Structures are given as C-alpha cells and as structure tokens.
Amino acid sequence: MPQVEYKGKVFDVDEDGFIDSFDKWCPEWVDYVKESEGIQELTEEHWKVIHVLQDYYKKHGIAPMVRILTKVTGFKLKYIYELFPSGPGKGACKMAGLPKPTGCV
Amino acid sequence: MPFDPNDIMKDRITDIGPPKYDNFFPPYIKENYGKWKYHEILEPGVLVHVAETGAEVYTVRTGAPRLMSVDYIREVCEIADKHCGGYVRWTTRNNIEFMVDDKSKLQPLIDDLRSRGNWFPMGGTGASVTNIVHTQGWVHCHTPAIDASGIVKSVMDELFDYFGSHKLPAQVRISLACCLNMCGAVHCSDIAILGVHRKPPFVEHDRVQNVCEIPLVIAACPTAAIKPKKVGDRKSVEINQNRCMFCGNCYTMCPALPIADGDGDGIALWVGGKVSNSRTAPKFSKLAVPYIPNEPPRWPTVVQTIKKIVEVYASDARRYERIGEWIERIGWERFFEKTGLEFRHEHIDDYRLAMTTWRTTTQFKF
Ligand code: HEM
Ligand code: HEM
Ligand code: SF4
Ligand code: SF4
C-alpha cells in the first residue's frame, strides 16, 4: 500500500486514495485530500457533511444513502456537488475516511 | 481551454448529453424518416428498405468483435468514407451496418468488404445466428467466473456458417455473461452462456472491517448465508457454507470476500429465452447444462454442446419457431432426450417460487 505523509502524519492509502482504515482518520487527512478533490477552502458546510457521514457510519456500519445525507444535512444533491465536485462517494466519503464505495458504481 | 489541475471547475462543461441522433443520419434516411413502406432481405447480410417516396436504402450488415482497436474503427470509417458518404451505424447486437442509397453502389461495397478477408463478414440477418451479446470477462471485470471475448470467438468460429446463411427455423440469439450479474441478455436469449462459481467465498477476516460495510454484505446475500462475526477484536462475517450457492454477490459488495477459483469456476448453458412478443410472450431462458469446466483458449466442450443444441433445433423445429417455442411444444423431457443432455438435480428449481416450476399434472411423455 502506498503511504503519504502530511503535517507529520502518515496515511496508508489504496490506489484510489481511500484511507486504509476509518480508525486512522484525523482532521489532517481532510486537509490533505481537499486539493485532489478540487476544494480550495474547507467551510463549515464541508465539515457538516463529513460529520454526518462519520456519525452515520459509526452508528450503522454503512454509508448513508444519498437521500438520507441530503435530508439530514439539509443540502440538496446539487449543493453537495458544489461542496464536493466529485460527489458524495468519491469526494465526501473519501474525506470522511469511510471505506470505498462498492457495487456496480 | 486546457484542463487546469489546480482549478478543476474552471471552464468545465457538463450535462450536455449525447449529440442528437439525427446529426449523423445519412441524408436519405433523414429525408425518408417515418415514411418507410417495406423492406426485403436480399441475401444474408443485405437488406433493402423502400420508402413511400420511392427512395431505396441498401444495408450491409457485418459481424464485429465488439472489443476493437482504434485502427479497426478507422478501417470501418475508411469503408464508410469510400462507399457510404462517411455514414455508418452499429446495431444493438454490435454488428456494423453500412448503408448506400443506390443499387449501383451496393456491389462495389460488398466486393470491398469481401476483399478484406474475414474482417467484415456479411450476415446476421433473418433466420441466422447473429452476433453474440457479451461482456467484459477477464479483459476488464473483477467478478467474472469465465472469459467473454475468448468464448465468443470460439463459438462464432464453430457457428460461422449460420451467421452468413438463413437455414434455421428462426433467428437464434446467443448471449454470454461472465457472472450471474448477467450484464446483457443471457436471461432472455435462445442460448445463453453464463459464468458460474462452485465454491463459497474466502473470508479475509483482517480486511473485512476496513474495506467493507458489513450490513451491506449481509443484505447482499439472496439466501441469507452471511451473518456478522467477531474474529479477535475485529468485526467480520461468517458464511454458512450449506446456505451459500456461490452467486458472488457478497464479493461485489465486499472486496475482502474473493470467490474466483480456477478449478471451481465454469459455464452453465441456458436455453429458450426470447424478448420479442411475436406469436408467444417473451420468455426467460432456462437451465440446460449446469456446469462445463473452463477450457481456455477454445472451450471445446461448450462449443460442441452449443453446436449440438443448434443442430437438433434446426432439424426438429418448425418454421418460425424460436428455441423456447420449440421446447415448449415438444416438452422439456423430449428436449433432453433429443439433445442427449443429461438431466440432473441442479435443473430442479429450489429458490423461493420454485414450486411453480414443478409439474402439477399427469401429462408427460415417457
Ligand atoms: C427500453 C427499451 C429497449 C430495450 C431494453 C431493448 C433491448 C433490446 C435487446 C435486449 C435486444 C436484443 C434482442 C435479442 O436478443 O433478440 C434488442 C434488439 C433490437 N432492438 Fe431493442 N430495446 C429497446 C428499445 C428499442 C427501440 C425503441 C428500438 C427501435 C426503435 C429497438 C430496436 C431494436 C432492433 C432493431 C433490434 C435487433 C438488432 C439486431 O438484431 O441487430 N429497440 N433490443
Ligand atoms: C415501415 C417501416 C418498417 C417496417 C414495417 C419494418 C418492419 C420490420 C420487420 C417486420 C422486421 C422483422 C423481419 C424479420 O424478422 O424477418 C424488421 C427487421 C429489421 N428492420 Fe425494419 N421495418 C421498417 C423500417 C426500418 C428502417 C427504416 C430501418 C433502418 C434503416 C429498419 C431496420 C431493420 C433492421 C435492422 C431489422 C433487423 C433485420 C434482421 O435482423 O433480420 N427497419 N423490420
Ligand atoms: S457479467 Fe459479471 S463478470 Fe461479466 S462484466 Fe458483468 S458484472 Fe462483470
Ligand atoms: S456467494 Fe452469494 S450465496 Fe454465497 S454467501 Fe455470498 S452472497 Fe450469499
């Protein structure tokens, strides 16, 4: 597994840049990934999406369906794409440290 | 503007959809759109459509491997430039169709196609075996039990004679899917080639917690064979091997449950499906052979079994009868008898609505 070092932290990532384990997540990870996800500045709204994803994952063991994410955050899907240009899966879930989405994506 | 990785949203174009289909209509198709009067199949691979305006359009259909290089596509374009005013189209079974608007242009096109060896074989019309709708196989997918391109090439080589002729009772659609996700048309084809596993997945306990969403894995199983299990201090899953029928759906959801296996994997053959509504309603294909081993690179057992089914059907079915209609007329016991295929316990449905497929009548043939 390739390793990346950022602000003194070391992360193991897969070929798509997803972190190897949710337990290794830390705020520096979000800061490191934001650039490759096309995000200039992290706003409170970015953090809101990230925290909703993390809380849901800790409680249920899965990422929320898009419908649930939009309902809980109050952000329409279009706005989530404005925050995370690669979308809720490749963008937001990656930054939140969740496992890579699977299935016929 | 060139793509700027530091500002990925700059000059970004999105939601423009495909180009409108009629941008690429040959002029004579555009002019006669919605005014077609009748058509004829002139010879295998060659159609003529006649419009109310009197316009005629000649179509030459050629087989194609579906997976093709840019060089090959350039050759298609070169032919289209030379004979068809730069226009060409692909069919829903991935054949290629060259069209000309005048009979005098037809023979030069045909001669040119024939002069290119077997790169552009003419056929696929009428009561033929046309192109095989198929999938990715070992070329690109991560869940296959078999290859796609290799088997398709082997089968079409053996049935090539049926591609460029009209000697069957009706058209025979063959499809292939390399796992039972069934991408494509295997569930509704006259003959279907399907990749199957015969062993349960291997559970990589130390990876499950990190790379899988365990509730999704549990919900993925059609037979409820999976339950959560703690291994050491890690969350994982346990598979009840007696309930698993090796569908591989849990691996689709969870990369830590690999299922592919060189010895276990192989091919099931299905028969009797159709999608059209002509004469009888559309049908699902049904299991004919539960398992044939993978035999790359030419898969001789599969090829010979399919050939046998086609030959028995060709000699026994009535005109216009699709394989499924023929089997329903003679009965499944006669189908197994005539083809010499072995009837095994795997043929008997045992999933949920299975009872509807058992025989609840005394009508059968010895
Ligand atoms: C949701 C809509 C549709 C679906 C799912 C669909 C699906 C299919 C499938 C699975 C086949 C292969 C049939 C076989 O194995 O025998 C097929 C063939 C074909 N379909 Fe469709 N189809 C649709 C709509 C249409 C429409 C609207 C048209 C024409 C206006 C069309 C024209 C054709 C033709 C011409 C073929 C035969 C092509 C050949 O043999 O080369 N289809 N379609
Ligand atoms: C009034 C207009 C049309 C009618 C009533 C019509 C009718 C039919 C029928 C009944 C078939 C089935 C033939 C068979 O299975 O033996 C067929 C096949 C076909 N038609 Fe048409 N058609 C019309 C116009 C067109 C046009 C404008 C095109 C495209 C330029 C077209 C393309 C095809 C193709 C690709 C097939 C499949 C031939 C084969 O696989 O044997 N049709 N058509
Ligand atoms: S049929 Fe299965 S293995 Fe083949 S391309 Fe589709 S998902 Fe992949
Ligand atoms: S392979 Fe299919 S049947 Fe077996 S455990 Fe996985 S999902 Fe269930």
Side-chain angles (χ1 to χ4, degrees):
Chain A
M1 255 194 179
Q3 283 194 333
V4 296
E5 225 189 301
Y6 184 74
K7 289 195 179 157
K9 304 258 175 181
V10 179
F11 303 101
D12 291 306
V13 295
D14 70 8
E15 68 280 13
D16 294 312
F18 277 77
I19 200 169
D20 73 329
S21 161
F22 183 65
D23 303 333
K24 309 266 182 65
W25 183 90
C26 58
E28 288 81 1
W29 169 251
V30 181
D31 210 37
Y32 167 73
V33 179
K34 75 174 197 301
E35 206 171 310
S36 64
E37 289 302 317
I39 297 166
Q40 316 279 358
E41 233 19 86
L42 285 163
T43 64
E44 243 169 70
E45 290 175 327
H46 287 106
W47 282 105
K48 183 171 179 188
V49 173
I50 290 171
H51 286 139
V52 166
L53 289 173
Q54 293 186 326
D55 291 346
Y56 193 94
Y57 180 68
K58 278 186 227 156
K59 189 158 170 212
H60 300 285
I62 56 173
M65 286 184 288
V66 168
R67 275 193 305 133
I68 293 173
L69 182 65
T70 52
K71 205 167 166 186
V72 177
T73 57
F75 301 151
K76 291 214 158 83
L77 185 58
K78 187 165 183 296
Y79 191 63
I80 290 180
Y81 270 90
E82 279 170 30
L83 295 172
F84 299 93
S86 355
K90 194 181 157 288
C93 282
K94 185 196 277 182
M95 294 175 83
L98 269 57
K100 183 159 65 189
T102 56
C104 300
V105 284
Chain B
M1 294 302 116
F3 175 69
D4 176 3
N6 296 315
D7 187 359
I8 62 170
M9 300 303 277
K10 187 161 146 261
D11 299 322
R12 180 167 169 267
I13 299 168
T14 179
D15 294 331
I16 55 171
K20 190 157 183 254
Y21 59 95
D22 64 2
N23 290 356
F24 308 100
F25 273 171
Y28 44 87
I29 293 290
K30 201 167 214 161
E31 282 153 27
N32 297 290
Y33 193 75
K35 299 181 210 155
W36 301 101
K37 203 158 131 198
Y38 66 92
H39 78 278
E40 281 173 51
I41 302 179
L42 300 178
E43 58 175 295
V46 183
L47 310 162
V48 59
H49 286 83
V50 181
E52 286 153 6
T53 57
E56 292 178 343
V57 177
Y58 295 85
T59 304
V60 181
R61 182 179 298 168
T62 64
R66 189 182 65 90
L67 201 65
M68 49 186 64
S69 65
V70 174
D71 281 343
Y72 180 93
I73 295 171
R74 289 213 169 106
E75 190 171 344
V76 172
C77 295
E78 178 221 313
I79 298 168
D81 282 341
K82 204 156 129 193
H83 299 277
C84 314
Y87 296 96
V88 62
R89 60 174 229 112
W90 262 251
T91 72
T92 55
R93 301 191 71 88
N94 307 303
N95 288 311
I96 303 173
E97 288 189 344
F98 299 97
M99 284 174 278
V100 293
D101 59 350
D102 194 291
K103 190 150 201 192
S104 65
K105 298 178 187 166
L106 180 62
Q107 202 54 47
L109 168 64
I110 292 175
D111 292 342
D112 187 350
L113 292 169
R114 290 208 169 116
S115 75
R116 294 169 195 252
N118 261 338
W119 285 90
F120 297 95
M122 284 166 48
T125 52
S128 66
V129 173
T130 182
N131 220 352
I132 300 185
V133 169
H134 64 281
T135 49
Q136 307 188 50
W138 299 329
V139 170
H140 200 80
C141 198
H142 68 303
T143 65
I146 58 171
D147 189 30
S149 298
I151 302 174
V152 164
K153 165 72 172 147
S154 310
V155 172
M156 278 317 270
D157 278 351
E158 191 67 31
L159 299 183
F160 189 62
D161 197 29
Y162 291 104
F163 180 77
S165 64
H166 292 157
K167 55 188 179 188
L168 292 165
Q171 70 267 45
V172 171
R173 302 300 193 217
I174 305 182
S175 302
L176 174 146
C178 30
C179 85
L180 36 74
N181 227 1
M182 300 196 179
C183 301
V186 282
H187 63 302
C188 57
S189 298
D190 295 277
I191 298 178
I193 305 163
L194 182 64
V196 292
H197 304 287
R198 292 186 306 163
K199 295 183 187 171
F202 177 79
V203 186
E204 297 173 350
H205 288 298
D206 47 337
R207 288 181 75 219
V208 172
Q209 171 179 317
N210 286 343
V211 297
C212 310
E213 300 168 71
I214 290 170
L216 291 191
V217 184
I218 293 166
C221 184
T223 54
I226 308 178
K227 61 180 183 190
K229 181 183 167 181
K230 216 120 192 235
V231 179
D233 59 349
R234 304 188 145 251
K235 290 186 212 147
S236 185
V237 294
E238 180 177 25
I239 295 178
N240 177 348
Q241 313 232 333
N242 293 326
R243 289 191 77 92
C244 175
M245 42 65 167
F246 334 122
C247 70
N249 205 31
C250 51
Y251 175 60
T252 301
M253 300 316 295
C254 173
L257 302 179
I259 188 171
D261 177 87
D263 299 323
D265 295 352
I267 288 165
L269 292 179
W270 298 65
V271 296
K274 76 197 255 293
V275 290
S276 81
N277 259 307
S278 51
R279 300 169 305 276
T280 56
K283 298 179 205 300
F284 283 127
S285 34
K286 297 200 165 76
L287 184 63
V289 183
Y291 181 77
I292 300 173
N294 255 320
E295 298 167 316
R298 298 295 296 178
W299 283 271
T301 313
V302 167
V303 168
Q304 288 314 318
T305 310
I306 291 175
K307 192 177 182 196
K308 175 87 186 167
I309 295 170
V310 171
E311 281 171 352
V312 174
Y313 157 74
S315 67
D316 200 60
R318 292 179 188 157
R319 210 172 162 205
Y320 304 126
E321 238 173 15
R322 297 283 291 265
I323 289 189
E325 295 167 319
W326 163 61
I327 296 174
E328 284 183 6
R329 176 171 60 78
I330 64 172
W332 281 91
E333 58 268 44
R334 280 284 181 275
F335 167 76
F336 282 100
E337 189 183 301
K338 282 177 198 266
T339 54
L341 298 176
E342 188 192 351
F343 185 82
R344 302 160 52 100
H345 72 89
E346 289 94 338
H347 285 100
I348 301 169
D349 195 345
D350 56 2
Y351 187 70
R352 292 188 187 184
L353 300 177
M355 204 243 176
T356 58
T357 65
W358 303 339
R359 193 163 300 190
T360 49
T361 163
T362 52
Q363 293 195 339
F364 68 95
K365 299 184 182 98
F366 279 102

